[in-house]
């Protein structure tokens, strides 16, 4: 499979600079990198972005993540492999990624409150930036049909 066009984030150099700054900021937010990797992978699974799922799994494995946990991310509620804080981050990821699935409060108070019980505001900011940036890339990649395994960043 070949992408329809070069990735816009690569095509416009100033865009990549901004994106790199977002990643730098979110990784300075005090959240364990493994949690951010899980957030990225879950949002990418929801959005059906094969390039980001592939990249997310590859990056998480380089960061020491296990196959057992990676295989279970899509069914995190039904498995014993995740901590309470990781579960809170995954629930927040699902709610913030599926905004249109609810009328009224897009992210219910119960989900927010659970995440806030496990993370500081700075950490929540990092998680939200990861969710938003992942959704951003998922939309770019799905639109241009970026193939899985493409290393353009």
């Amino acid at each position: 499979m070949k992408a329809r066009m070069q990735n816009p984030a690569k095509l416009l150099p100033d865009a990549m600079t901004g994106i790199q700054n977002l990643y730098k900021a979110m990784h300075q937010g005090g959240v364990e990198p493994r949690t951010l990797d899980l957030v990225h992978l879950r949002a990418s699974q929801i959005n059906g972005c094969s390039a980001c799922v592939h990249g997310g799994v590859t990056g998480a494995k380089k960061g020491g993540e296990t196959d057992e946990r990676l295989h279970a991310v899509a069914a995190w509620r039904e498995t014993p492999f995740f901590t309470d804080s990781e579960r809170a981050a995954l629930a927040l990821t699902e709610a913030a990624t599926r905004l249109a699935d609810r009328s009224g409060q897009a992210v219910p108070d119960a989900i927010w409150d659970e995440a806030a019980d496990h993370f500081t505001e700075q950490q929540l900011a990092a998680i939200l930036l990861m969710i938003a940036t992942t959704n951003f890339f998922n939309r770019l990649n799905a639109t241009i049909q970026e193939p899985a395994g493409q290393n353009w960043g």
Side-chain angles (χ1 to χ4, degrees), residues 9 12-22:
L12 302 173
D14 286 343
M16 187 52 77
T17 300
I19 292 162
Q20 289 169 339
N21 286 332
L22 280 173

Side-chain angles (χ1 to χ4, degrees), residues 4-15:
R4 289 176 168 157
M5 64 176 281
Q6 187 176 15
N7 196 295
K10 184 178 179 183
L11 191 60
L12 302 173
D14 286 343

Side-chain angles (χ1 to χ4, degrees), residues 16-47:
M16 187 52 77
T17 300
I19 292 162
Q20 289 169 339
N21 286 332
L22 280 173
Y23 276 106
K24 180 180 176 184
M26 71 181 80
H27 284 285
Q28 293 174 344
V31 178
E32 288 186 37
R34 286 176 64 164
T35 300
L36 292 176
D37 288 342
L38 295 173
V39 165
H40 170 78
L41 180 57
R42 186 64 190 122
S44 298
Q45 289 172 334
I46 291 167
N47 290 322

Side-chain angles (χ1 to χ4, degrees), residues 83-89 91-92 108-119 124:
T83 67
D84 289 344
S85 62
E86 290 168 338
R87 290 176 182 283
L92 181 59
D109 285 338
I111 291 173
W112 180 262
D113 292 345
E114 182 67 20
D117 286 346
H118 292 279
F119 300 101
L124 285 169

Side-chain angles (χ1 to χ4, degrees), residues 39 96-97 127-139:
V39 165
T97 298
I127 291 168
L128 291 173
L129 282 175
M130 178 58 83
I131 295 166
T133 304
T134 299
N135 279 285
F136 166 77
F137 271 110
N138 293 164
R139 279 145 182 79

